[in-house]
Amino acid sequence: MAVYWKIKEICTFTFRMNVYSVLQIGEYHLNNCEDYLFYEPIGTDKLLCAVMDGCTMGKDSYFIATLIGKLLRKIVKAKNYEEFYQLPFLELSLEEQLKVILKELFESLKNIKNELLLEKNEMLSTLTILIANLKDEQGVILVIGDGVICINGAITEFDQDNKPDYVGYHLSENFEEWYDKQQQKIKFSGIKDISVATDGIMSFKSIEQKANLGDIDPVQYMLNDTSKIEHEEMLNMKLKFLEHNIGVKPTDDLAIIRIIKT
């Protein structure tokens, strides 16, 4: 089946998915945005998305969040070549593919940590990662640390009470044992409207003395409302609307990827 990908949308003859993203520094952060995001197709019908949140109390946390995104890009590009050569990776289940990708990510991070003599506080980032088969409308999400997901209207917040787990804590562990213990993992089917976000989505606050929220819940507005769906910059436009018309902004850094079936 012929397939082509655009920057913001994924199209085939049988289904159409729009992919939107936004990355913004928080109002309370002055120097760097410590969040990062990445999404790219894996093979013909699959998509991998990830949002990362570097620990504010860590050192140069924007670096590790960005590094994870860049390494995932490298891994995904390699997996795309495997489809061309008909290698077995793309025949695995979605969860098995996710496990393979994470194992390669951890190995790469461990090697870079050793090569650059990085300390543990330079490796602290959360990771919310999604792999989905857009044709079959199946997916799996794993959250390492804090994060927010929205699956067809149902929002789930993973909040670890300001003591989130971080990828960097586990690089020296046995990967198989670590992966088997992961509980913040969700499988889903029937992809209609799926979002992954860093916990900055929960940080909207008034930037004026009198914010006029009315009936608008910023979280629902960003993750469920479908206004401006025809615009590639839908999420950015929504942030601007909340800032200039309602008077609220995210105080923490924010990364969102949203997939909508149209």
Side-chain angles (χ1 to χ4, degrees):
M1 178 178 294
V3 179
Y4 67 90
W5 301 79
K6 290 185 178 181
I7 293 176
K8 296 294 180 181
E9 63 184 8
I10 307 150
C11 306
T12 76
F13 293 127
T14 58
F15 64 84
R16 181 184 178 96
M17 296 280 179
N18 288 354
V19 183
Y20 307 89
S21 65
V22 70
L23 179 66
Q24 178 166 307
I25 190 170
E27 183 71 5
Y28 292 173
H29 289 196
L30 300 178
N31 297 319
N32 300 293
C33 179
E34 294 166 349
D35 287 7
Y36 196 73
L37 60 82
F38 165 78
Y39 65 90
E40 190 156 320
I42 305 180
T44 302
D45 299 316
K46 298 184 181 74
L47 178 70
L48 185 131
C49 304
V51 292
M52 288 67 70
D53 180 2
C55 173
T56 302
M57 302 304 294
K59 184 178 181 181
D60 298 330
S61 295
Y62 61 89
F63 168 74
I64 183 60
T66 304
L67 177 61
I68 290 173
K70 301 299 185 183
L71 289 173
L72 285 173
R73 183 181 67 180
K74 177 184 177 182
I75 293 168
V76 168
K77 286 185 180 296
K79 298 308 177 188
N80 283 327
Y81 286 116
E82 292 190 16
E83 181 185 47
F84 179 77
Y85 290 106
Q86 298 182 332
L87 295 176
F89 170 79
L90 293 173
E91 300 302 319
L92 299 174
S93 69
L94 287 179
E95 187 167 2
E96 289 171 331
Q97 289 183 4
L98 178 62
K99 182 178 179 180
V100 168
I101 290 169
L102 281 173
K103 186 173 184 178
E104 291 189 18
L105 173 66
F106 275 46
E107 290 174 352
S108 295
L109 285 171
K110 186 187 303 183
N111 291 336
I112 291 173
K113 179 178 184 292
N114 293 335
E115 184 174 352
L116 298 182
L117 301 179
L118 298 175
E119 300 174 357
K120 181 178 289 188
N121 67 352
E122 296 176 282
M123 305 294 291
L124 304 183
S125 175
T126 66
L127 171 62
T128 300
I129 186 167
L130 155 70
I131 186 170
N133 186 317
L134 301 179
K135 182 178 180 181
D136 296 340
E137 297 189 354
Q138 306 286 326
V140 58
I141 299 173
L142 176 67
V143 183
I144 305 172
D146 293 342
V148 177
I149 65 175
C150 183
I151 301 175
N152 298 331
I155 295 174
T156 302
E157 179 185 7
F158 296 90
D159 183 0
Q160 299 180 332
D161 194 25
N162 290 322
K163 296 179 181 179
D165 199 6
Y166 293 111
V167 172
Y169 288 163
H170 307 289
L171 298 180
S172 61
E173 297 179 20
N174 179 284
F175 177 83
E176 299 289 338
E177 295 177 359
W178 170 84
Y179 187 84
D180 289 342
K181 292 186 293 185
Q182 297 312 296
Q183 297 182 344
Q184 295 187 161
K185 181 165 52 180
I186 296 178
K187 298 179 183 179
F188 60 91
S189 59
I191 298 175
K192 307 301 180 187
D193 191 342
I194 311 293
S195 296
V196 291
T198 57
D199 62 357
I201 189 68
M202 312 302 292
S203 71
F204 280 91
K205 291 186 179 179
S206 171
I207 57 173
E208 300 176 357
Q209 289 186 345
K210 294 183 179 180
N212 183 24
L213 279 174
D215 296 329
I216 293 183
D217 177 343
V219 179
Q220 294 286 347
Y221 183 62
M222 295 299 297
L223 302 185
N224 276 323
D225 181 83
T226 56
S227 61
K228 302 178 174 44
I229 191 176
E230 68 277 13
H231 298 285
E232 292 184 352
E233 295 297 326
M234 177 188 70
L235 292 177
N236 187 54
M237 294 172 70
K238 286 179 177 293
L239 283 179
K240 295 302 182 184
F241 176 82
L242 289 172
E243 176 183 357
H244 298 295
N245 295 77
I246 307 301
V248 296
K249 291 182 68 175
T251 56
D252 193 7
D253 300 334
L254 173 61
I256 305 173
I257 302 172
R258 184 172 172 186
I259 308 165
I260 302 177
K261 183 179 181 180
T262 59

